[in-house]
Amino acid sequence: MKLNLNRLNYFKKEYLVILLGLIISIFTSINHLSKYDKIYEPIEGPKYHQMIKNDVYTVWTTADEIRKDLNNGNDFFQSLPEFKREFLPSVIVGLYYHILDKEIFDLTNGEKNIKENNLKLGILLIQTILYFLSVYFLFYTIQNNFIKKKEYEVPLFIIILFLSLEPTINQFNSSFTSESFFMSMIIILFSLLLKKNNNYIIFVFSGILVGLIFAQRPVSIFFFIPVSIFYLIVYKNKLQNLLLFLLGFSIIIGSIGTINYKKSNHFYIISMLHQYYSYYFYFAHVIYAEKYNLEESDAKIILNKKEQEWRNINNIKIDDINVPIENYDRKDLKKIINYRNIEFINLVISNPIISAKIFIKKSLVGVLFAPNLIKNSYYFDKTSPEAKNNRKEYYNKNLKFYLAYSTIFYFFIITGLIIYFKRIYLNKKLTLFDKFLFFNICSVIYFVLMSGFWGNPKYFLPCILNLSFFFSDGLSFFIKKYIFK
């Protein structure tokens, strides 16, 4: 077999970048486990695992239930959990430890904690390898569908460089949060959307993948809408392609609803827990406090008192402080959820300027690149005096650094967006890649609208993947204009 040296040289730099990113992620995972795979004792309260806490701890608790069900002889589908918080992350961890036949928790002196040194590295290696395989898949798709055919000039090397080495992205491959698998699935979806064929299986699989993206991160429940818009624009005369995509999506959504029904005797997609602790719970008192110039804690007391009066009038008795809400009557829960949703909508509508100001302020923090977010979280202790006395300053120590770091990237991203709109205006038409870039804009808008109020850079992560294409266009423009002119 004759070796094509020109072909080898052409691809070499992308391969090396992907390999370098993989090696960095693996060594970072090993380093983090050596330092943080341990039980931490806070100033107050019970001990917890330094890497696996808060929502991640809940995921691992559900994973342990799955592992025990499988060990007791239940088949895989019987062991699947009710979708309360995050579905797929628990399945992945539970199945992993079942295969290894390893315990997840350690019970010592009456305390239940995550076991130390129980082959956690394997999970990080699996998600890291999957992530960089997805990056390679994207590289291969763009290379073969656009660059080889000389249909579109894509700065592919910069895209691969960004996705492989940018630390805001890469840090999640060494973390037990749900983001790494989430990113991998989104990047694979990019590749499927860019494939130029009419293979019906691709459209069905794309829908299944978007369903799994929801199963990985519930915030993606309506993510099928930007994808559907893309398919309508690209295949406007072939409605069956969109229907096949929605069929694939419905398979996963329907399966989750069926599992929930078997576990709870209720068919639902979004858990009561997510609906109960939604925008009203986290942000209604913030808007109310701003409106009446109150402390947020005082505003929360007023709104809680108002809700309690409504509960008393409607004979709804739920002790959601001492008892998990999923143990209560679902009809009562639905009434409370409807009450909260209506109250929040009315509060936003009656205070549009205040609501918009809070949303924009939070979103501006949320859209920052935060390259050391995960590592910093390992040191957070919410029981410390510093955290109690000045919560905002405690959790935002790196805000100025994030702002400076982000400014560099946004300079090129905005340049790329200007180039994109200028190209569309001059060409008077949209290529497939232009339509794909429009999908990325829709995707950014979607995730910002869904997560902007939280102001957490972690929730902006899928948008960083979307913006990588505009960043590469902007950086490529300046390289050609000022370096290789």
Side-chain angles (χ1 to χ4, degrees), residues 141-204:
T141 302
I142 295 176
Q143 176 65 39
N144 284 276
N145 284 275
F146 297 95
I147 294 179
K148 273 189 177 182
K149 296 178 181 179
K150 297 182 179 180
E151 292 186 9
Y152 198 94
E153 187 178 353
V154 182
L156 185 53
F157 176 72
I158 298 176
I159 295 173
I160 300 304
L161 188 71
F162 182 92
L163 295 176
S164 299
L165 299 180
E166 201 287 307
T168 305
I169 297 172
N170 223 343
Q171 64 182 325
F172 288 97
N173 292 322
S174 303
S175 161
F176 293 107
T177 59
S178 59
E179 276 72 27
S180 182
F181 284 109
F182 183 59
M183 292 189 299
S184 299
M185 289 189 283
I186 288 179
I187 293 173
I188 292 171
L189 177 66
F190 290 166
S191 301
L192 296 178
L193 297 181
L194 287 169
K195 279 190 169 294
K196 297 179 180 179
N197 58 61
N198 288 313
N199 189 333
Y200 291 159
I201 295 176
I202 293 293
F203 300 110
V204 175

Coordinates of all heavy atoms in Angstrom, one line a residue, residues 141-204:
T141 N -15.7 15.4 9.3 CA -16.9 15.8 8.5 C -16.7 17.1 7.8 O -17.0 17.1 6.6 CB -18.1 15.9 9.5 OG1 -18.3 14.7 10.2 CG2 -19.4 16.3 8.8
I142 N -16.2 18.1 8.4 CA -15.9 19.3 7.7 C -14.9 19.2 6.6 O -15.0 19.7 5.5 CB -15.5 20.4 8.7 CG1 -16.6 20.7 9.7 CG2 -15.1 21.7 8.0 CD1 -16.2 21.7 10.8
Q143 N -13.8 18.4 6.9 CA -12.8 18.2 5.9 C -13.3 17.5 4.7 O -13.0 18.0 3.6 CB -11.7 17.3 6.6 CG -10.6 16.9 5.6 CD -9.7 18.1 5.2 OE1 -9.5 19.0 6.0 NE2 -9.3 18.1 3.9
N144 N -14.2 16.5 4.8 CA -14.6 15.8 3.7 C -15.8 16.4 3.0 O -16.0 16.2 1.8 CB -15.0 14.3 4.1 CG -13.7 13.5 4.3 OD1 -13.1 12.9 3.4 ND2 -13.3 13.4 5.6
N145 N -16.6 17.1 3.7 CA -17.8 17.7 3.1 C -17.6 19.1 2.5 O -18.5 19.6 1.7 CB -19.0 17.7 4.1 CG -19.6 16.3 4.3 OD1 -20.4 15.9 3.6 ND2 -19.0 15.6 5.3
F146 N -16.6 19.8 3.0 CA -16.4 21.2 2.6 C -15.1 21.5 2.0 O -14.9 22.1 0.9 CB -16.8 22.1 3.8 CG -18.2 22.0 4.3 CD1 -18.5 21.2 5.3 CD2 -19.2 22.7 3.6 CE1 -19.8 21.1 5.7 CE2 -20.5 22.6 4.0 CZ -20.8 21.8 5.1
I147 N -14.0 21.2 2.8 CA -12.7 21.6 2.4 C -12.2 20.9 1.2 O -11.7 21.5 0.2 CB -11.7 21.5 3.6 CG1 -12.1 22.5 4.7 CG2 -10.3 21.7 3.1 CD1 -11.2 22.4 5.9
K148 N -12.3 19.6 1.2 CA -11.9 18.8 0.0 C -12.6 19.1 -1.2 O -12.0 19.2 -2.3 CB -12.1 17.3 0.3 CG -10.9 16.6 1.1 CD -11.2 15.1 1.1 CE -10.0 14.4 1.8 NZ -10.2 13.0 1.8
K149 N -13.9 19.4 -1.1 CA -14.7 19.8 -2.3 C -14.6 21.3 -2.6 O -15.2 21.7 -3.6 CB -16.2 19.4 -2.0 CG -16.4 17.9 -1.8 CD -17.8 17.6 -1.5 CE -18.0 16.1 -1.3 NZ -19.4 15.7 -1.0
K150 N -13.8 22.0 -1.8 CA -13.6 23.4 -2.0 C -14.9 24.2 -2.2 O -15.0 25.1 -3.0 CB -12.7 23.6 -3.3 CG -11.3 23.0 -3.1 CD -10.5 23.3 -4.4 CE -9.1 22.6 -4.2 NZ -8.2 22.9 -5.4
E151 N -15.9 23.8 -1.3 CA -17.1 24.5 -1.4 C -17.2 25.6 -0.4 O -18.1 26.5 -0.5 CB -18.3 23.5 -1.1 CG -18.4 22.5 -2.2 CD -19.6 21.6 -2.0 OE1 -20.4 21.9 -1.0 OE2 -19.8 20.6 -2.7
Y152 N -16.4 25.6 0.6 CA -16.5 26.6 1.7 C -15.1 26.6 2.4 O -14.5 25.6 2.7 CB -17.5 26.2 2.7 CG -18.0 27.3 3.6 CD1 -19.1 28.1 3.2 CD2 -17.3 27.6 4.8 CE1 -19.5 29.2 4.0 CE2 -17.7 28.7 5.6 CZ -18.8 29.4 5.2 OH -19.2 30.5 6.0
E153 N -14.6 27.9 2.6 CA -13.3 28.0 3.2 C -13.5 28.1 4.8 O -13.9 29.1 5.3 CB -12.6 29.3 2.8 CG -11.2 29.5 3.3 CD -10.5 30.7 2.7 OE1 -11.2 31.4 1.9 OE2 -9.4 31.0 3.2
V154 N -13.3 26.9 5.4 CA -13.5 26.8 6.9 C -12.1 26.8 7.5 O -11.2 26.0 7.2 CB -14.2 25.5 7.2 CG1 -14.4 25.5 8.7 CG2 -15.5 25.4 6.5
P155 N -11.8 27.7 8.5 CA -10.6 27.7 9.2 C -10.5 26.6 10.2 O -10.6 26.7 11.4 CB -10.5 29.1 9.9 CG -12.0 29.5 10.1 CD -12.7 28.9 8.9
L156 N -10.4 25.4 9.7 CA -10.7 24.1 10.4 C -9.6 23.9 11.5 O -9.9 23.5 12.6 CB -10.7 22.9 9.5 CG -11.0 21.6 10.1 CD1 -12.3 21.6 10.9 CD2 -11.1 20.5 9.0
F157 N -8.4 24.3 11.2 CA -7.3 24.1 12.2 C -7.6 24.9 13.5 O -7.4 24.4 14.6 CB -6.0 24.5 11.7 CG -4.8 24.4 12.7 CD1 -4.4 23.1 13.1 CD2 -4.3 25.5 13.2 CE1 -3.4 23.1 14.0 CE2 -3.3 25.5 14.1 CZ -2.8 24.2 14.5
I158 N -8.1 26.1 13.3 CA -8.4 27.0 14.5 C -9.5 26.4 15.3 O -9.5 26.4 16.5 CB -8.7 28.4 14.0 CG1 -7.4 29.0 13.3 CG2 -9.0 29.3 15.2 CD1 -7.7 30.4 12.7
I159 N -10.5 25.9 14.6 CA -11.7 25.3 15.3 C -11.2 24.1 16.1 O -11.6 24.0 17.3 CB -12.7 24.8 14.3 CG1 -13.4 26.0 13.5 CG2 -13.8 24.0 15.0 CD1 -14.3 25.6 12.4
I160 N -10.4 23.2 15.6 CA -9.9 22.1 16.3 C -9.0 22.5 17.4 O -9.0 21.9 18.5 CB -9.1 21.1 15.3 CG1 -10.1 20.7 14.2 CG2 -8.6 19.9 16.1 CD1 -11.3 20.0 14.7
L161 N -8.2 23.5 17.2 CA -7.3 24.1 18.2 C -8.1 24.6 19.4 O -7.8 24.3 20.6 CB -6.4 25.2 17.7 CG -5.3 25.7 18.5 CD1 -4.2 24.7 18.7 CD2 -4.7 27.0 17.9
F162 N -9.2 25.3 19.1 CA -10.0 25.9 20.2 C -10.7 24.8 21.0 O -10.7 24.8 22.2 CB -11.0 26.8 19.5 CG -12.0 27.5 20.5 CD1 -11.7 28.7 21.0 CD2 -13.2 26.9 20.8 CE1 -12.5 29.4 21.8 CE2 -14.0 27.5 21.7 CZ -13.7 28.8 22.2
L163 N -11.4 23.8 20.3 CA -12.1 22.8 20.9 C -11.2 21.8 21.7 O -11.7 21.2 22.7 CB -12.9 22.0 19.9 CG -14.1 22.8 19.2 CD1 -14.7 21.9 18.1 CD2 -15.1 23.3 20.2
S164 N -10.0 21.7 21.3 CA -9.1 20.7 21.9 C -8.3 21.3 23.1 O -8.0 20.6 24.1 CB -8.1 20.2 20.9 OG -8.7 19.5 19.9
L165 N -8.0 22.6 23.1 CA -7.1 23.2 24.1 C -7.7 24.3 24.9 O -7.0 24.7 25.9 CB -5.8 23.7 23.4 CG -5.0 22.6 22.6 CD1 -3.8 23.2 22.0 CD2 -4.6 21.5 23.5
E166 N -8.8 24.9 24.5 CA -9.3 26.0 25.3 C -9.6 25.5 26.7 O -10.5 24.6 26.9 CB -10.5 26.6 24.6 CG -10.8 28.0 25.1 CD -11.4 28.1 26.5 OE1 -12.4 27.4 26.7 OE2 -10.8 28.9 27.3
P167 N -9.1 26.0 27.8 CA -9.2 25.4 29.1 C -10.6 25.5 29.7 O -11.0 24.7 30.5 CB -8.2 26.2 30.0 CG -7.9 27.5 29.2 CD -8.1 27.1 27.8
T168 N -11.4 26.5 29.3 CA -12.8 26.6 29.8 C -13.5 25.3 29.5 O -14.3 24.8 30.2 CB -13.5 27.8 29.3 OG1 -12.8 29.0 29.6 CG2 -14.9 27.9 29.9
I169 N -13.3 24.8 28.2 CA -13.9 23.6 27.8 C -13.2 22.4 28.4 O -13.9 21.5 28.9 CB -13.8 23.5 26.2 CG1 -14.6 24.7 25.6 CG2 -14.3 22.2 25.7 CD1 -14.5 24.8 24.1
N170 N -11.9 22.4 28.3 CA -11.1 21.2 28.6 C -11.2 20.8 30.1 O -11.1 19.6 30.4 CB -9.7 21.4 28.2 CG -9.0 20.2 27.6 OD1 -9.6 19.1 27.6 ND2 -7.9 20.4 26.9
Q171 N -11.5 21.7 31.0 CA -11.5 21.4 32.4 C -12.6 20.5 32.8 O -12.5 19.7 33.7 CB -11.7 22.7 33.2 CG -13.0 23.4 33.0 CD -13.1 24.7 33.7 OE1 -12.6 24.9 34.9 NE2 -13.7 25.7 33.1
F172 N -13.7 20.5 32.0 CA -14.8 19.6 32.3 C -14.6 18.1 32.0 O -15.3 17.3 32.5 CB -16.1 20.1 31.6 CG -16.6 21.4 32.2 CD1 -16.3 22.6 31.6 CD2 -17.4 21.4 33.3 CE1 -16.7 23.8 32.2 CE2 -17.9 22.6 33.9 CZ -17.5 23.8 33.3
N173 N -13.6 17.9 31.1 CA -13.2 16.5 30.9 C -12.6 15.8 32.1 O -12.5 14.6 32.2 CB -12.2 16.4 29.7 CG -12.9 16.8 28.4 OD1 -14.1 16.4 28.1 ND2 -12.2 17.5 27.5
S174 N -12.1 16.6 33.0 CA -11.5 16.1 34.2 C -12.4 16.3 35.5 O -11.9 16.4 36.6 CB -10.1 16.8 34.5 OG -9.3 16.7 33.4
S175 N -13.7 16.5 35.2 CA -14.6 16.7 36.3 C -15.7 15.7 36.2 O -16.0 15.1 35.2 CB -15.2 18.1 36.1 OG -16.4 18.3 36.8
F176 N -16.4 15.5 37.3 CA -17.5 14.5 37.4 C -18.9 15.2 37.2 O -19.9 14.5 37.4 CB -17.5 13.8 38.7 CG -16.3 12.9 38.9 CD1 -15.3 13.2 39.8 CD2 -16.2 11.7 38.2 CE1 -14.2 12.4 39.9 CE2 -15.1 10.9 38.3 CZ -14.1 11.2 39.2
T177 N -18.9 16.4 36.8 CA -20.1 17.1 36.4 C -20.6 16.5 35.0 O -19.8 15.7 34.4 CB -19.9 18.6 36.3 OG1 -18.9 18.9 35.3 CG2 -19.5 19.2 37.6
S178 N -21.7 16.9 34.6 CA -22.3 16.2 33.4 C -21.9 16.9 32.1 O -22.3 16.4 31.0 CB -23.9 16.3 33.5 OG -24.3 17.7 33.6
E179 N -21.0 17.9 32.2 CA -20.8 18.7 31.0 C -20.0 18.0 29.9 O -20.1 18.2 28.7 CB -20.0 20.0 31.4 CG -21.0 21.1 31.8 CD -21.6 20.8 33.2 OE1 -21.0 20.1 34.0 OE2 -22.7 21.3 33.4
S180 N -19.0 17.1 30.2 CA -18.2 16.5 29.2 C -19.0 15.6 28.2 O -18.8 15.8 27.0 CB -17.1 15.6 29.9 OG -16.2 15.1 28.9
F181 N -19.8 14.7 28.7 CA -20.6 13.9 27.8 C -21.6 14.8 27.1 O -21.9 14.6 25.9 CB -21.4 12.9 28.6 CG -20.6 11.7 29.1 CD1 -20.3 11.5 30.4 CD2 -20.2 10.8 28.2 CE1 -19.5 10.5 30.8 CE2 -19.4 9.7 28.6 CZ -19.1 9.5 29.9
F182 N -22.1 15.9 27.7 CA -23.0 16.8 27.1 C -22.3 17.5 25.9 O -22.9 17.6 24.8 CB -23.4 17.9 28.2 CG -24.4 18.9 27.8 CD1 -25.6 18.5 27.3 CD2 -24.1 20.3 27.9 CE1 -26.6 19.5 27.0 CE2 -25.0 21.2 27.5 CZ -26.2 20.8 27.0
M183 N -21.1 18.0 26.1 CA -20.4 18.6 25.0 C -20.1 17.6 23.9 O -20.2 18.0 22.7 CB -19.0 19.2 25.5 CG -19.1 20.3 26.5 SD -17.5 21.1 26.8 CE -16.7 19.7 27.6
S184 N -19.8 16.4 24.2 CA -19.5 15.4 23.2 C -20.7 15.2 22.3 O -20.6 15.1 21.1 CB -19.0 14.1 23.8 OG -17.9 14.2 24.6
M185 N -21.8 15.1 22.9 CA -23.1 14.8 22.1 C -23.4 16.0 21.2 O -23.9 15.8 20.1 CB -24.2 14.5 23.1 CG -24.1 13.1 23.7 SD -25.5 12.6 24.6 CE -25.3 13.5 26.1
I186 N -23.2 17.2 21.7 CA -23.5 18.4 20.9 C -22.5 18.5 19.7 O -22.9 18.8 18.6 CB -23.4 19.7 21.8 CG1 -24.5 19.8 22.7 CG2 -23.3 20.9 20.9 CD1 -24.5 21.0 23.7
I187 N -21.2 18.2 19.9 CA -20.3 18.2 18.8 C -20.6 17.1 17.8 O -20.5 17.3 16.6 CB -18.8 18.0 19.4 CG1 -18.5 19.3 20.2 CG2 -17.8 17.9 18.2 CD1 -17.1 19.2 20.9
I188 N -21.0 15.9 18.3 CA -21.4 14.9 17.3 C -22.7 15.4 16.5 O -22.8 15.1 15.3 CB -21.7 13.6 18.1 CG1 -20.5 13.0 18.7 CG2 -22.4 12.6 17.2 CD1 -20.7 11.8 19.6
L189 N -23.6 16.1 17.2 CA -24.7 16.6 16.5 C -24.3 17.6 15.5 O -24.9 17.6 14.3 CB -25.6 17.3 17.5 CG -26.9 18.0 17.0 CD1 -27.8 17.0 16.4 CD2 -27.6 18.9 18.0
F190 N -23.3 18.4 15.7 CA -22.8 19.3 14.7 C -22.4 18.6 13.5 O -22.7 19.0 12.3 CB -21.5 20.1 15.2 CG -21.7 21.1 16.3 CD1 -20.7 21.6 17.0 CD2 -23.0 21.6 16.6 CE1 -20.8 22.5 18.0 CE2 -23.2 22.5 17.6 CZ -22.1 23.0 18.3
S191 N -21.7 17.5 13.7 CA -21.2 16.6 12.5 C -22.4 16.1 11.7 O -22.4 16.1 10.5 CB -20.3 15.5 13.0 OG -19.2 16.0 13.7
L192 N -23.4 15.6 12.4 CA -24.6 15.1 11.8 C -25.3 16.1 11.0 O -25.8 15.9 9.9 CB -25.5 14.4 12.8 CG -25.0 13.2 13.5 CD1 -26.0 12.7 14.6 CD2 -24.6 12.1 12.6
L193 N -25.4 17.3 11.5 CA -26.1 18.4 10.8 C -25.4 18.8 9.5 O -26.0 19.3 8.6 CB -26.3 19.6 11.7 CG -27.1 19.5 13.0 CD1 -27.2 20.8 13.8 CD2 -28.5 19.0 12.6
L194 N -24.0 18.7 9.5 CA -23.2 19.1 8.4 C -23.0 18.0 7.3 O -22.4 18.2 6.3 CB -21.8 19.5 8.9 CG -21.8 20.9 9.6 CD1 -20.4 21.1 10.3 CD2 -22.1 22.0 8.7
K195 N -23.6 16.8 7.6 CA -23.4 15.7 6.6 C -24.4 16.0 5.4 O -25.6 16.2 5.6 CB -23.7 14.4 7.3 CG -22.5 13.8 8.0 CD -22.8 12.4 8.4 CE -21.5 11.7 8.9 NZ -20.5 11.6 7.9
K196 N -23.8 15.9 4.3 CA -24.6 16.1 3.0 C -25.1 14.8 2.5 O -24.5 14.2 1.6 CB -23.8 16.8 2.0 CG -23.3 18.2 2.4 CD -22.4 18.8 1.3 CE -21.9 20.2 1.6 NZ -21.0 20.7 0.6
N197 N -26.3 14.4 3.0 CA -26.9 13.2 2.4 C -28.3 13.1 2.8 O -28.8 13.9 3.6 CB -26.2 11.9 2.9 CG -26.2 11.8 4.4 OD1 -27.2 11.7 5.0 ND2 -25.0 11.8 5.1
N198 N -29.0 12.2 2.2 CA -30.5 12.1 2.5 C -30.7 10.7 3.2 O -31.8 10.1 3.0 CB -31.3 12.2 1.2 CG -31.3 13.6 0.7 OD1 -31.6 14.5 1.5 ND2 -31.1 13.8 -0.5
N199 N -29.7 10.3 3.9 CA -29.9 9.0 4.7 C -30.9 9.2 5.8 O -30.6 9.9 6.8 CB -28.5 8.5 5.2 CG -28.6 7.1 5.8 OD1 -29.6 6.7 6.2 ND2 -27.4 6.5 5.7
Y200 N -32.0 8.5 5.7 CA -33.0 8.7 6.7 C -32.6 8.3 8.1 O -33.0 8.9 9.1 CB -34.3 7.9 6.4 CG -35.0 8.3 5.1 CD1 -35.8 7.5 4.4 CD2 -34.8 9.7 4.7 CE1 -36.5 8.0 3.3 CE2 -35.5 10.1 3.6 CZ -36.3 9.3 2.9 OH -37.0 9.7 1.8
I201 N -31.6 7.4 8.2 CA -31.1 7.0 9.5 C -30.4 8.1 10.2 O -30.5 8.3 11.5 CB -30.1 5.8 9.4 CG1 -30.9 4.6 8.8 CG2 -29.5 5.5 10.7 CD1 -30.0 3.4 8.5
I202 N -29.7 9.0 9.5 CA -29.1 10.2 10.1 C -30.1 11.1 10.8 O -29.8 11.6 11.9 CB -28.3 10.9 9.0 CG1 -27.1 10.1 8.4 CG2 -27.8 12.3 9.5 CD1 -26.0 9.8 9.4
F203 N -31.2 11.3 10.1 CA -32.2 12.2 10.7 C -32.8 11.6 12.0 O -33.0 12.3 13.0 CB -33.3 12.5 9.7 CG -32.8 13.2 8.5 CD1 -32.7 12.6 7.2 CD2 -32.3 14.5 8.5 CE1 -32.2 13.2 6.1 CE2 -31.8 15.1 7.4 CZ -31.7 14.5 6.2
V204 N -33.1 10.3 11.9 CA -33.6 9.7 13.1 C -32.6 9.7 14.3 O -32.9 10.0 15.4 CB -34.1 8.2 12.8 CG1 -34.5 7.5 14.1 CG2 -35.2 8.2 11.8

